[in-house]
Amino acid sequence: MTSATRQTKIRKPAAVTTETRILALDAGNYDLKFWDGEAHPKAIRSVRFQLPQGRDAVRYTEASPLIELPDGTRYHFGAQAYKYRRQQQTVIENKVELSRLHLYACMEPWEGNTEFALDIYASTPEPAKNEDAIRQQLLGMHEFKRNGLEYRVLVERVEVEREGMGAYHYAQRLGLIPDTGYTIVVDIGGGTWLTRLVDAEGDVIDENVMDRGGAYELATSISFDRRLTNALGTTADPSLIMDGFRTGHIYADTELTWQPWLEEHLDSWFKGIFQTIKAQYTPYMARVTRFLVTGGSSHLISERLAGRRLFAVMTDPQFANVRGLFPVVNGAQLCMTTK
């Protein structure tokens, strides 16, 4: 028996729990973030590979899970997907259509159990447009295999929030939101960026969702720069550049970096975002008391905003939204409910 055969051998699930698990899920274009209210939120790189029948999977981990559906279809998520050819990147797809698969990728065992009921608190840029589709995919019974374990999960409840508002609620709990005036939430992600204009009561009174323009656009701009492509001797992959944004601006496993001339691309990207914000919210600017900057790509511009009185940049911005999605009861985070 080969090692590949051994690692996909099905293990028996633990006993069924009688409690309902709660999971906050922020399935972004770059990362799938999830949190059950314990320890620190986790992330899985939002890239996958569908394995052909007869192809052995490379090693799977919790950060790079292997998912198998009842019909035998298999998907390998996370950084390990880069070890195959022709990976699929969520950033250039419709992530709403992938809601079920993304949930499976994030479904770690709960206290040793792989059979349980589940309440999900999720987010999407445009709930009015996509909430029904997300609910339809997630509600009900799910049977699948993840990293060789058989799961039976009954999703009983799905709450869908505007993306970015989780970060707003989390910032409120941290004392970053003034008691008066308007707050503009600026959520800069991997594929998209968006803004919400929120009043002191927490009501969204205006908003803007840009389908493109997130870090992938910046990475694409860098990928066409001849200083990088000439050094590589081939074309550059924007997705690998996005990975490099978090690892010292190094391209994959090479020693090539765009750091010395990053500002040339970053400047126009940054100005494009904030000029759009200014144009949309000009009538409200006199009442704006805070710009809350968050999202997994906001670290790229945090230095530019440091020390500006109106701006608050979330610490650990990658996980601010998923932390805020997790339900709060009487000021304390709720970890589970008993059926």
Side-chain angles (χ1 to χ4, degrees):
M1 184 181 291
T2 67
S3 59
T5 303
R6 283 196 299 271
Q7 76 167 359
T8 56
K9 184 178 179 180
I10 302 304
R11 290 165 281 166
K12 294 295 184 181
V16 180
T17 180
T18 59
E19 293 170 321
T20 297
R21 183 182 186 182
I22 293 176
L23 188 71
L25 179 62
D26 180 1
N29 286 302
Y30 182 81
D31 278 329
L32 310 176
K33 284 87 63 177
F34 57 102
W35 194 41
D36 63 0
E38 301 290 338
H40 192 275
K42 297 181 180 181
I44 294 170
R45 182 72 169 86
S46 195
V47 57
R48 71 191 186 285
F49 177 77
Q50 182 175 346
L51 281 87
Q53 293 296 327
R55 172 75 181 270
D56 287 335
V58 300
R59 185 173 60 90
Y60 53 70
T61 66
E62 289 300 322
S64 281
L66 178 66
I67 305 301
E68 185 174 347
L69 304 182
D71 64 1
T73 306
R74 296 174 298 158
Y75 298 91
H76 206 155
F77 278 84
Q80 289 289 80
Y82 283 116
K83 295 183 178 179
Y84 309 98
R85 292 192 177 189
R86 298 193 178 103
Q87 313 84 11
Q88 294 166 283
Q89 299 275 346
T90 302
V91 71
I92 57 175
E93 298 178 304
N94 182 348
K95 65 181 181 180
V96 173
E97 296 175 354
L98 299 168
S99 297
R100 186 181 294 112
L101 270 180
H102 288 166
L103 171 65
Y104 298 170
C106 299
M107 193 58 63
E108 294 182 347
W110 183 43
E111 298 178 350
N113 295 296
T114 56
E115 285 194 45
F116 46 81
L118 180 67
D119 290 346
I120 298 174
Y121 292 81
S123 67
T124 186
E126 299 177 279
K129 182 178 178 181
N130 298 316
E131 180 176 359
D132 288 345
I134 292 172
R135 286 180 183 276
Q136 186 175 8
Q137 286 203 41
L138 297 185
L139 282 171
M141 179 61 74
H142 300 268
E143 298 187 15
F144 59 96
K145 297 171 187 173
R146 182 187 188 272
N147 288 354
L149 285 174
E150 294 180 327
Y151 282 74
R152 292 187 75 251
V153 177
L154 177 62
V155 177
E156 298 179 323
R157 177 181 182 182
V158 177
E159 297 291 337
V160 183
E161 172 68 275
R162 287 179 170 93
E163 194 167 302
M165 289 305 292
Y168 173 84
H169 297 311
Y170 183 51
Q172 273 189 317
R173 299 201 290 271
L174 296 177
L176 297 178
I177 305 298
D179 294 331
T180 60
Y182 292 170
T183 295
I184 297 178
V185 179
V186 184
D187 188 328
I188 305 175
T192 64
W193 67 271
L194 55 84
T195 59
R196 316 283 188 196
L197 180 69
V198 189
D199 68 14
E201 285 72 45
D203 293 327
V204 177
I205 56 179
D206 200 357
E207 57 193 341
N208 185 24
V209 178
M210 304 296 291
D211 290 336
R212 289 289 175 260
Y216 191 79
E217 181 174 291
L218 175 64
T220 300
S221 175
I222 293 171
S223 74
F224 287 113
D225 195 300
R226 288 196 301 272
R227 287 168 288 190
L228 180 59
T229 56
N230 288 347
L232 283 172
T234 184
T235 56
D237 184 343
S239 296
L240 294 180
I241 293 173
M242 287 180 67
D243 290 340
F245 288 157
R246 294 185 179 171
T247 56
H249 298 288
I250 303 296
Y251 188 84
D253 296 317
T254 72
E255 296 182 355
L256 299 176
T257 178
W258 53 88
Q259 179 74 60
W261 35 271
L262 170 63
E263 283 295 321
E264 297 175 30
H265 294 269
L266 192 61
D267 188 63
S268 60
W269 182 68
F270 173 86
K271 288 179 178 176
I273 291 174
F274 280 91
Q275 285 172 357
T276 302
I277 293 171
K278 183 179 179 181
Q280 176 162 2
Y281 298 119
T282 295
Y284 302 100
M285 282 300 177
R287 300 191 61 185
V288 172
T289 54
R290 177 69 76 234
F291 285 87
L292 181 69
V293 182
T294 186
S297 299
S298 60
H299 67 285
L300 292 165
I301 62 172
S302 58
E303 289 185 7
R304 288 172 172 250
L305 302 175
R308 298 194 183 190
R309 183 180 60 85
L310 288 179
F311 285 81
V313 181
M314 293 295 297
T315 57
D316 202 14
Q318 178 186 12
F319 296 107
N321 190 59
V322 77
R323 283 186 180 276
L325 287 174
F326 201 89
V328 171
V329 175
N330 297 327
Q333 295 217 298
L334 180 67
C335 291
M336 66 182 70
T337 59
T338 302
K339 294 182 69 175

PDB file of all heavy atoms in Angstrom, residues 166-179 290 292-294 312-317 319-321 323-324 328 331 333:
ATOM      1  N   GLY A 166     -18.723  43.227   9.919  1.00  0.00           N
ATOM      2  CA  GLY A 166     -18.146  42.466  11.024  1.00  0.00           C
ATOM      3  C   GLY A 166     -16.975  43.216  11.628  1.00  0.00           C
ATOM      4  O   GLY A 166     -16.846  43.321  12.852  1.00  0.00           O
ATOM      5  N   ALA A 167     -16.105  43.756  10.752  1.00  0.00           N
ATOM      6  CA  ALA A 167     -14.966  44.545  11.234  1.00  0.00           C
ATOM      7  C   ALA A 167     -15.435  45.786  11.976  1.00  0.00           C
ATOM      8  O   ALA A 167     -14.837  46.193  12.984  1.00  0.00           O
ATOM      9  CB  ALA A 167     -14.075  44.930  10.054  1.00  0.00           C
ATOM     10  N   TYR A 168     -16.515  46.405  11.502  1.00  0.00           N
ATOM     11  CA  TYR A 168     -17.066  47.588  12.177  1.00  0.00           C
ATOM     12  C   TYR A 168     -17.510  47.237  13.603  1.00  0.00           C
ATOM     13  O   TYR A 168     -17.183  47.947  14.564  1.00  0.00           O
ATOM     14  CB  TYR A 168     -18.237  48.149  11.374  1.00  0.00           C
ATOM     15  CG  TYR A 168     -18.979  49.272  12.063  1.00  0.00           C
ATOM     16  CD1 TYR A 168     -18.522  50.577  11.983  1.00  0.00           C
ATOM     17  CD2 TYR A 168     -20.137  49.015  12.807  1.00  0.00           C
ATOM     18  CE1 TYR A 168     -19.180  51.621  12.622  1.00  0.00           C
ATOM     19  CE2 TYR A 168     -20.807  50.040  13.443  1.00  0.00           C
ATOM     20  CZ  TYR A 168     -20.338  51.335  13.356  1.00  0.00           C
ATOM     21  OH  TYR A 168     -20.997  52.364  14.003  1.00  0.00           O
ATOM     22  N   HIS A 169     -18.248  46.146  13.758  1.00  0.00           N
ATOM     23  CA  HIS A 169     -18.728  45.750  15.081  1.00  0.00           C
ATOM     24  C   HIS A 169     -17.554  45.384  15.999  1.00  0.00           C
ATOM     25  O   HIS A 169     -17.572  45.690  17.197  1.00  0.00           O
ATOM     26  CB  HIS A 169     -19.709  44.591  14.966  1.00  0.00           C
ATOM     27  CG  HIS A 169     -20.954  44.928  14.199  1.00  0.00           C
ATOM     28  ND1 HIS A 169     -21.701  46.056  14.465  1.00  0.00           N
ATOM     29  CD2 HIS A 169     -21.578  44.295  13.171  1.00  0.00           C
ATOM     30  CE1 HIS A 169     -22.733  46.105  13.637  1.00  0.00           C
ATOM     31  NE2 HIS A 169     -22.672  45.057  12.843  1.00  0.00           N
ATOM     32  N   TYR A 170     -16.559  44.725  15.435  1.00  0.00           N
ATOM     33  CA  TYR A 170     -15.377  44.372  16.225  1.00  0.00           C
ATOM     34  C   TYR A 170     -14.631  45.636  16.656  1.00  0.00           C
ATOM     35  O   TYR A 170     -14.193  45.753  17.806  1.00  0.00           O
ATOM     36  CB  TYR A 170     -14.474  43.454  15.413  1.00  0.00           C
ATOM     37  CG  TYR A 170     -13.249  42.962  16.149  1.00  0.00           C
ATOM     38  CD1 TYR A 170     -13.354  42.389  17.410  1.00  0.00           C
ATOM     39  CD2 TYR A 170     -11.985  43.056  15.575  1.00  0.00           C
ATOM     40  CE1 TYR A 170     -12.234  41.931  18.086  1.00  0.00           C
ATOM     41  CE2 TYR A 170     -10.858  42.598  16.239  1.00  0.00           C
ATOM     42  CZ  TYR A 170     -10.990  42.030  17.494  1.00  0.00           C
ATOM     43  OH  TYR A 170      -9.871  41.589  18.169  1.00  0.00           O
ATOM     44  N   ALA A 171     -14.524  46.610  15.757  1.00  0.00           N
ATOM     45  CA  ALA A 171     -13.863  47.875  16.092  1.00  0.00           C
ATOM     46  C   ALA A 171     -14.628  48.625  17.175  1.00  0.00           C
ATOM     47  O   ALA A 171     -14.028  49.284  18.035  1.00  0.00           O
ATOM     48  CB  ALA A 171     -13.733  48.744  14.838  1.00  0.00           C
ATOM     49  N   GLN A 172     -15.944  48.525  17.149  1.00  0.00           N
ATOM     50  CA  GLN A 172     -16.746  49.127  18.223  1.00  0.00           C
ATOM     51  C   GLN A 172     -16.373  48.551  19.577  1.00  0.00           C
ATOM     52  O   GLN A 172     -16.208  49.285  20.553  1.00  0.00           O
ATOM     53  CB  GLN A 172     -18.239  48.901  17.962  1.00  0.00           C
ATOM     54  CG  GLN A 172     -18.907  49.936  17.089  1.00  0.00           C
ATOM     55  CD  GLN A 172     -20.412  49.745  17.066  1.00  0.00           C
ATOM     56  OE1 GLN A 172     -20.916  48.623  16.971  1.00  0.00           O
ATOM     57  NE2 GLN A 172     -21.147  50.840  17.148  1.00  0.00           N
ATOM     58  N   ARG A 173     -16.240  47.234  19.627  1.00  0.00           N
ATOM     59  CA  ARG A 173     -15.895  46.594  20.894  1.00  0.00           C
ATOM     60  C   ARG A 173     -14.496  46.970  21.351  1.00  0.00           C
ATOM     61  O   ARG A 173     -14.200  46.939  22.552  1.00  0.00           O
ATOM     62  CB  ARG A 173     -16.031  45.069  20.760  1.00  0.00           C
ATOM     63  CG  ARG A 173     -17.438  44.620  20.429  1.00  0.00           C
ATOM     64  CD  ARG A 173     -17.673  43.167  20.800  1.00  0.00           C
ATOM     65  NE  ARG A 173     -16.956  42.226  19.960  1.00  0.00           N
ATOM     66  CZ  ARG A 173     -17.437  41.716  18.834  1.00  0.00           C
ATOM     67  NH1 ARG A 173     -18.623  42.100  18.386  1.00  0.00           N
ATOM     68  NH2 ARG A 173     -16.743  40.836  18.150  1.00  0.00           N
ATOM     69  N   LEU A 174     -13.640  47.338  20.421  1.00  0.00           N
ATOM     70  CA  LEU A 174     -12.281  47.773  20.762  1.00  0.00           C
ATOM     71  C   LEU A 174     -12.204  49.259  21.079  1.00  0.00           C
ATOM     72  O   LEU A 174     -11.132  49.766  21.415  1.00  0.00           O
ATOM     73  CB  LEU A 174     -11.324  47.453  19.600  1.00  0.00           C
ATOM     74  CG  LEU A 174     -11.117  45.975  19.264  1.00  0.00           C
ATOM     75  CD1 LEU A 174     -10.206  45.840  18.045  1.00  0.00           C
ATOM     76  CD2 LEU A 174     -10.545  45.211  20.449  1.00  0.00           C
ATOM     77  N   GLY A 175     -13.328  49.975  20.946  1.00  0.00           N
ATOM     78  CA  GLY A 175     -13.344  51.400  21.240  1.00  0.00           C
ATOM     79  C   GLY A 175     -12.776  52.278  20.147  1.00  0.00           C
ATOM     80  O   GLY A 175     -12.369  53.424  20.407  1.00  0.00           O
ATOM     81  N   LEU A 176     -12.780  51.789  18.908  1.00  0.00           N
ATOM     82  CA  LEU A 176     -12.194  52.546  17.802  1.00  0.00           C
ATOM     83  C   LEU A 176     -13.208  53.411  17.059  1.00  0.00           C
ATOM     84  O   LEU A 176     -12.822  54.206  16.203  1.00  0.00           O
ATOM     85  CB  LEU A 176     -11.544  51.579  16.796  1.00  0.00           C
ATOM     86  CG  LEU A 176     -10.368  50.745  17.322  1.00  0.00           C
ATOM     87  CD1 LEU A 176      -9.870  49.796  16.237  1.00  0.00           C
ATOM     88  CD2 LEU A 176      -9.238  51.653  17.801  1.00  0.00           C
ATOM     89  N   ILE A 177     -14.495  53.266  17.370  1.00  0.00           N
ATOM     90  CA  ILE A 177     -15.547  53.998  16.670  1.00  0.00           C
ATOM     91  C   ILE A 177     -16.076  55.116  17.577  1.00  0.00           C
ATOM     92  O   ILE A 177     -16.524  54.846  18.694  1.00  0.00           O
ATOM     93  CB  ILE A 177     -16.703  53.067  16.268  1.00  0.00           C
ATOM     94  CG1 ILE A 177     -16.183  51.889  15.440  1.00  0.00           C
ATOM     95  CG2 ILE A 177     -17.768  53.842  15.495  1.00  0.00           C
ATOM     96  CD1 ILE A 177     -15.529  52.262  14.139  1.00  0.00           C
ATOM     97  N   PRO A 178     -16.025  56.379  17.134  1.00  0.00           N
ATOM     98  CA  PRO A 178     -16.554  57.483  17.944  1.00  0.00           C
ATOM     99  C   PRO A 178     -18.052  57.328  18.192  1.00  0.00           C
ATOM    100  O   PRO A 178     -18.768  56.666  17.433  1.00  0.00           O
ATOM    101  CB  PRO A 178     -16.260  58.720  17.085  1.00  0.00           C
ATOM    102  CG  PRO A 178     -15.177  58.299  16.153  1.00  0.00           C
ATOM    103  CD  PRO A 178     -15.402  56.846  15.885  1.00  0.00           C
ATOM    104  N   ASP A 179     -18.524  57.942  19.276  1.00  0.00           N
ATOM    105  CA  ASP A 179     -19.940  57.854  19.629  1.00  0.00           C
ATOM    106  C   ASP A 179     -20.821  58.720  18.748  1.00  0.00           C
ATOM    107  O   ASP A 179     -22.043  58.538  18.704  1.00  0.00           O
ATOM    108  CB  ASP A 179     -20.144  58.263  21.094  1.00  0.00           C
ATOM    109  CG  ASP A 179     -19.495  57.276  22.057  1.00  0.00           C
ATOM    110  OD1 ASP A 179     -19.397  56.087  21.697  1.00  0.00           O
ATOM    111  OD2 ASP A 179     -19.081  57.707  23.153  1.00  0.00           O
ATOM    112  N   ARG A 290     -14.581  59.126  11.459  1.00  0.00           N
ATOM    113  CA  ARG A 290     -13.637  58.008  11.432  1.00  0.00           C
ATOM    114  C   ARG A 290     -13.639  57.317  10.080  1.00  0.00           C
ATOM    115  O   ARG A 290     -14.694  57.088   9.480  1.00  0.00           O
ATOM    116  CB  ARG A 290     -13.998  56.972  12.505  1.00  0.00           C
ATOM    117  CG  ARG A 290     -13.122  55.726  12.534  1.00  0.00           C
ATOM    118  CD  ARG A 290     -11.693  56.032  12.998  1.00  0.00           C
ATOM    119  NE  ARG A 290     -11.641  56.232  14.440  1.00  0.00           N
ATOM    120  CZ  ARG A 290     -11.128  57.320  15.004  1.00  0.00           C
ATOM    121  NH1 ARG A 290     -10.649  58.299  14.268  1.00  0.00           N
ATOM    122  NH2 ARG A 290     -11.077  57.434  16.324  1.00  0.00           N
ATOM    123  N   LEU A 292     -12.427  53.726   9.010  1.00  0.00           N
ATOM    124  CA  LEU A 292     -11.959  52.452   9.542  1.00  0.00           C
ATOM    125  C   LEU A 292     -11.433  51.614   8.387  1.00  0.00           C
ATOM    126  O   LEU A 292     -12.195  51.209   7.509  1.00  0.00           O
ATOM    127  CB  LEU A 292     -13.098  51.716  10.250  1.00  0.00           C
ATOM    128  CG  LEU A 292     -12.717  50.364  10.862  1.00  0.00           C
ATOM    129  CD1 LEU A 292     -11.792  50.550  12.057  1.00  0.00           C
ATOM    130  CD2 LEU A 292     -13.963  49.575  11.265  1.00  0.00           C
ATOM    131  N   VAL A 293     -10.142  51.370   8.371  1.00  0.00           N
ATOM    132  CA  VAL A 293      -9.508  50.651   7.271  1.00  0.00           C
ATOM    133  C   VAL A 293      -9.226  49.217   7.721  1.00  0.00           C
ATOM    134  O   VAL A 293      -8.575  48.991   8.751  1.00  0.00           O
ATOM    135  CB  VAL A 293      -8.208  51.351   6.836  1.00  0.00           C
ATOM    136  CG1 VAL A 293      -7.581  50.618   5.650  1.00  0.00           C
ATOM    137  CG2 VAL A 293      -8.493  52.798   6.459  1.00  0.00           C
ATOM    138  N   THR A 294      -9.728  48.270   6.953  1.00  0.00           N
ATOM    139  CA  THR A 294      -9.609  46.869   7.330  1.00  0.00           C
ATOM    140  C   THR A 294      -9.480  46.019   6.073  1.00  0.00           C
ATOM    141  O   THR A 294      -9.398  46.532   4.966  1.00  0.00           O
ATOM    142  CB  THR A 294     -10.838  46.458   8.181  1.00  0.00           C
ATOM    143  OG1 THR A 294     -10.650  45.125   8.672  1.00  0.00           O
ATOM    144  CG2 THR A 294     -12.130  46.528   7.366  1.00  0.00           C
ATOM    145  N   ALA A 312      -8.333  54.967  11.449  1.00  0.00           N
ATOM    146  CA  ALA A 312      -7.994  53.856  12.338  1.00  0.00           C
ATOM    147  C   ALA A 312      -7.795  52.626  11.469  1.00  0.00           C
ATOM    148  O   ALA A 312      -8.694  52.238  10.720  1.00  0.00           O
ATOM    149  CB  ALA A 312      -9.095  53.605  13.358  1.00  0.00           C
ATOM    150  N   VAL A 313      -6.608  52.045  11.529  1.00  0.00           N
ATOM    151  CA  VAL A 313      -6.311  50.838  10.759  1.00  0.00           C
ATOM    152  C   VAL A 313      -6.368  49.658  11.717  1.00  0.00           C
ATOM    153  O   VAL A 313      -5.696  49.638  12.744  1.00  0.00           O
ATOM    154  CB  VAL A 313      -4.931  50.928  10.093  1.00  0.00           C
ATOM    155  CG1 VAL A 313      -4.660  49.668   9.264  1.00  0.00           C
ATOM    156  CG2 VAL A 313      -4.841  52.170   9.199  1.00  0.00           C
ATOM    157  N   MET A 314      -7.216  48.691  11.412  1.00  0.00           N
ATOM    158  CA  MET A 314      -7.384  47.540  12.289  1.00  0.00           C
ATOM    159  C   MET A 314      -6.070  46.779  12.446  1.00  0.00           C
ATOM    160  O   MET A 314      -5.344  46.562  11.470  1.00  0.00           O
ATOM    161  CB  MET A 314      -8.438  46.581  11.725  1.00  0.00           C
ATOM    162  CG  MET A 314      -9.848  47.125  11.703  1.00  0.00           C
ATOM    163  SD  MET A 314     -10.544  47.454  13.338  1.00  0.00           S
ATOM    164  CE  MET A 314     -10.580  45.806  14.047  1.00  0.00           C
ATOM    165  N   THR A 315      -5.756  46.399  13.671  1.00  0.00           N
ATOM    166  CA  THR A 315      -4.673  45.454  13.875  1.00  0.00           C
ATOM    167  C   THR A 315      -5.185  44.071  13.494  1.00  0.00           C
ATOM    168  O   THR A 315      -6.372  43.768  13.651  1.00  0.00           O
ATOM    169  CB  THR A 315      -4.217  45.446  15.340  1.00  0.00           C
ATOM    170  OG1 THR A 315      -5.333  45.153  16.177  1.00  0.00           O
ATOM    171  CG2 THR A 315      -3.646  46.808  15.727  1.00  0.00           C
ATOM    172  N   ASP A 316      -4.304  43.230  12.973  1.00  0.00           N
ATOM    173  CA  ASP A 316      -4.706  41.906  12.489  1.00  0.00           C
ATOM    174  C   ASP A 316      -5.920  42.028  11.556  1.00  0.00           C
ATOM    175  O   ASP A 316      -6.941  41.350  11.740  1.00  0.00           O
ATOM    176  CB  ASP A 316      -5.040  40.999  13.668  1.00  0.00           C
ATOM    177  CG  ASP A 316      -4.959  39.510  13.334  1.00  0.00           C
ATOM    178  OD1 ASP A 316      -4.397  39.177  12.274  1.00  0.00           O
ATOM    179  OD2 ASP A 316      -5.475  38.694  14.117  1.00  0.00           O
ATOM    180  N   PRO A 317      -5.834  42.906  10.537  1.00  0.00           N
ATOM    181  CA  PRO A 317      -7.012  43.204   9.706  1.00  0.00           C
ATOM    182  C   PRO A 317      -7.545  42.013   8.928  1.00  0.00           C
ATOM    183  O   PRO A 317      -8.726  41.981   8.577  1.00  0.00           O
ATOM    184  CB  PRO A 317      -6.504  44.293   8.761  1.00  0.00           C
ATOM    185  CG  PRO A 317      -5.025  44.073   8.688  1.00  0.00           C
ATOM    186  CD  PRO A 317      -4.628  43.606  10.060  1.00  0.00           C
ATOM    187  N   PHE A 319      -8.346  39.227   9.977  1.00  0.00           N
ATOM    188  CA  PHE A 319      -9.357  38.485  10.732  1.00  0.00           C
ATOM    189  C   PHE A 319     -10.373  39.384  11.432  1.00  0.00           C
ATOM    190  O   PHE A 319     -11.213  38.881  12.190  1.00  0.00           O
ATOM    191  CB  PHE A 319      -8.671  37.593  11.769  1.00  0.00           C
ATOM    192  CG  PHE A 319      -7.800  36.531  11.163  1.00  0.00           C
ATOM    193  CD1 PHE A 319      -6.414  36.633  11.225  1.00  0.00           C
ATOM    194  CD2 PHE A 319      -8.358  35.442  10.516  1.00  0.00           C
ATOM    195  CE1 PHE A 319      -5.615  35.646  10.670  1.00  0.00           C
ATOM    196  CE2 PHE A 319      -7.563  34.458   9.950  1.00  0.00           C
ATOM    197  CZ  PHE A 319      -6.178  34.560  10.025  1.00  0.00           C
ATOM    198  N   ALA A 320     -10.334  40.678  11.198  1.00  0.00           N
ATOM    199  CA  ALA A 320     -11.249  41.589  11.891  1.00  0.00           C
ATOM    200  C   ALA A 320     -12.700  41.292  11.534  1.00  0.00           C
ATOM    201  O   ALA A 320     -13.575  41.294  12.402  1.00  0.00           O
ATOM    202  CB  ALA A 320     -10.906  43.037  11.555  1.00  0.00           C
ATOM    203  N   ASN A 321     -12.975  41.040  10.275  1.00  0.00           N
ATOM    204  CA  ASN A 321     -14.355  40.810   9.856  1.00  0.00           C
ATOM    205  C   ASN A 321     -14.909  39.516  10.436  1.00  0.00           C
ATOM    206  O   ASN A 321     -16.036  39.468  10.934  1.00  0.00           O
ATOM    207  CB  ASN A 321     -14.449  40.775   8.329  1.00  0.00           C
ATOM    208  CG  ASN A 321     -15.890  40.780   7.826  1.00  0.00           C
ATOM    209  OD1 ASN A 321     -16.651  41.692   8.109  1.00  0.00           O
ATOM    210  ND2 ASN A 321     -16.274  39.738   7.096  1.00  0.00           N
ATOM    211  N   ARG A 323     -13.968  37.963  13.128  1.00  0.00           N
ATOM    212  CA  ARG A 323     -14.141  38.123  14.577  1.00  0.00           C
ATOM    213  C   ARG A 323     -15.465  38.841  14.868  1.00  0.00           C
ATOM    214  O   ARG A 323     -16.198  38.480  15.800  1.00  0.00           O
ATOM    215  CB  ARG A 323     -12.983  38.907  15.174  1.00  0.00           C
ATOM    216  CG  ARG A 323     -11.687  38.117  15.350  1.00  0.00           C
ATOM    217  CD  ARG A 323     -10.653  38.953  16.081  1.00  0.00           C
ATOM    218  NE  ARG A 323      -9.395  38.273  16.280  1.00  0.00           N
ATOM    219  CZ  ARG A 323      -9.138  37.439  17.290  1.00  0.00           C
ATOM    220  NH1 ARG A 323     -10.076  37.180  18.180  1.00  0.00           N
ATOM    221  NH2 ARG A 323      -7.959  36.859  17.412  1.00  0.00           N
ATOM    222  N   GLY A 324     -15.755  39.873  14.090  1.00  0.00           N
ATOM    223  CA  GLY A 324     -16.974  40.634  14.317  1.00  0.00           C
ATOM    224  C   GLY A 324     -18.232  39.910  13.897  1.00  0.00           C
ATOM    225  O   GLY A 324     -19.327  40.237  14.364  1.00  0.00           O
ATOM    226  N   VAL A 328     -22.466  37.960  19.560  1.00  0.00           N
ATOM    227  CA  VAL A 328     -22.199  38.471  20.899  1.00  0.00           C
ATOM    228  C   VAL A 328     -23.517  38.525  21.662  1.00  0.00           C
ATOM    229  O   VAL A 328     -24.532  39.003  21.140  1.00  0.00           O
ATOM    230  CB  VAL A 328     -21.570  39.873  20.837  1.00  0.00           C
ATOM    231  CG1 VAL A 328     -21.490  40.494  22.223  1.00  0.00           C
ATOM    232  CG2 VAL A 328     -20.184  39.802  20.206  1.00  0.00           C
ATOM    233  N   GLY A 331     -22.782  41.483  25.470  1.00  0.00           N
ATOM    234  CA  GLY A 331     -21.421  41.998  25.490  1.00  0.00           C
ATOM    235  C   GLY A 331     -20.344  40.933  25.508  1.00  0.00           C
ATOM    236  O   GLY A 331     -19.165  41.241  25.430  1.00  0.00           O
ATOM    237  N   GLN A 333     -18.823  37.192  23.859  1.00  0.00           N
ATOM    238  CA  GLN A 333     -18.926  36.340  22.687  1.00  0.00           C
ATOM    239  C   GLN A 333     -19.516  34.990  23.064  1.00  0.00           C
ATOM    240  O   GLN A 333     -19.168  34.375  24.064  1.00  0.00           O
ATOM    241  CB  GLN A 333     -17.555  36.162  22.039  1.00  0.00           C
ATOM    242  CG  GLN A 333     -17.010  37.471  21.496  1.00  0.00           C
ATOM    243  CD  GLN A 333     -16.263  37.274  20.206  1.00  0.00           C
ATOM    244  OE1 GLN A 333     -15.290  36.602  20.179  1.00  0.00           O
ATOM    245  NE2 GLN A 333     -16.707  37.913  19.143  1.00  0.00           N
TER     246      GLN A 333
END
